């Protein structure tokens, strides 16, 4: 699956072409200097997640449907602390780690121990276990993410960077 993220000013634009040729497009409001969905890509790919955000999109789900599924499945928050539906555990695991890497990018960086110190209570609060093998995979995730973030930082508004979701990683096409 090919993912093209175009840098905007108030929001970034994402165009997806699945291996079966189907397409979807969406926008995501800027939460910081880097695209939120890129963090998802590198974290989910690095952890081999099959049913995180990008795995579900590869399977044919529309991004809005993934969000609706997360809300319906009990996306844990301070207001709704209940065990989530098992079908959204990877979504929550990824989202919590994404938030940690985003926070680190906004503050100038964090080492693996600091990322884990942020992530562990986030997973616990969301009532999900940590993904398997996270500490051993953080270095590879960070290296791939940092390379992308450097390109993004240097890219002009309206520039497009492309990512390739590994075939077979959730893709049913």
């Amino acid at each position: 699956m090919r993912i093209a993220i175009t840098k905007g000013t108030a929001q970034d634009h994402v165009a997806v072409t699945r291996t079966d040729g189907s397409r979807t497009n969406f926008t995501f409001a800027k939460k910081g200097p880097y695209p939120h969905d890129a963090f998802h890509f590198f974290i989910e790919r690095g952890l081999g997640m099959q049913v995180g955000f990008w795995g579900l999109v590869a399977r044919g789900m529309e991004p809005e449907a993934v969000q609706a599924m997360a809300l319906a499945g009990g996306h844990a928050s301070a207001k709704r602390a209940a065990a989530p539906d098992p079908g959204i555990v990877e979504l929550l695991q990824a989202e919590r780690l994404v938030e940690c890497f985003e926070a680190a990018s906004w503050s100038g960086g964090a080492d693996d121990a600091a990322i884990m110190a942020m992530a562990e209570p986030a997973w616990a609060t969301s009532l999900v276990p940590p993904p398997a093998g996270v500490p051993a995979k953080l270095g590879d995730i960070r290296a791939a993410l940092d390379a992308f973030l450097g390109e993004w930082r240097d890219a002009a508004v309206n520039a497009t960077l492309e990512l390739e979701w590994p075939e077979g990683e959730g893709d049913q096409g």
Side-chain angles (χ1 to χ4, degrees):
M1 174 173 73
R2 186 176 57 80
I3 303 160
I5 306 175
T6 302
K7 190 175 193 177
T9 52
Q11 60 188 7
D12 297 318
H13 304 270
V14 183
V16 175
T17 305
R18 297 179 186 95
T19 57
D20 67 1
S22 64
R23 297 172 185 255
T24 190
N25 297 290
F26 61 98
T27 58
F28 198 92
K30 287 192 175 285
K31 293 173 58 175
Y34 305 110
H36 179 80
D37 295 306
F39 285 92
H40 270 278
F41 175 87
F42 289 102
I43 287 166
E44 293 172 17
R45 186 186 72 179
L47 294 175
M49 291 183 158
Q50 300 292 308
V51 289
F53 176 78
W54 286 114
L56 292 170
V57 171
R59 288 178 179 210
M61 284 188 80
E62 292 298 317
E64 300 81 14
V66 175
Q67 182 179 18
M69 183 178 85
L71 290 172
H75 191 300
S77 68
K79 293 180 183 177
R80 300 187 317 162
D85 181 279
I88 67 164
V89 168
E90 275 192 10
L91 284 169
L92 295 176
Q93 290 171 323
E95 187 64 34
R96 298 297 83 89
L97 193 54
V98 163
E99 292 164 348
C100 297
F101 271 97
E102 279 182 323
S105 76
W106 301 334
S107 65
D111 63 15
D112 291 355
I115 293 289
M116 289 303 294
M118 288 186 279
E120 287 171 341
W123 290 317
T125 300
S126 292
L127 306 173
V128 297
V134 171
K137 297 175 182 175
L138 286 179
D140 289 341
I141 292 169
R142 181 189 314 284
L145 185 56
D146 285 351
F148 176 87
L149 298 180
E151 286 184 58
W152 188 264
R153 184 176 42 252
D154 296 340
V157 171
N158 294 321
T160 300
L161 296 182
E162 292 190 5
L163 302 169
E164 192 71 31
W165 183 256
E167 191 171 338
E169 295 292 320
D171 206 330
Q172 300 298 306

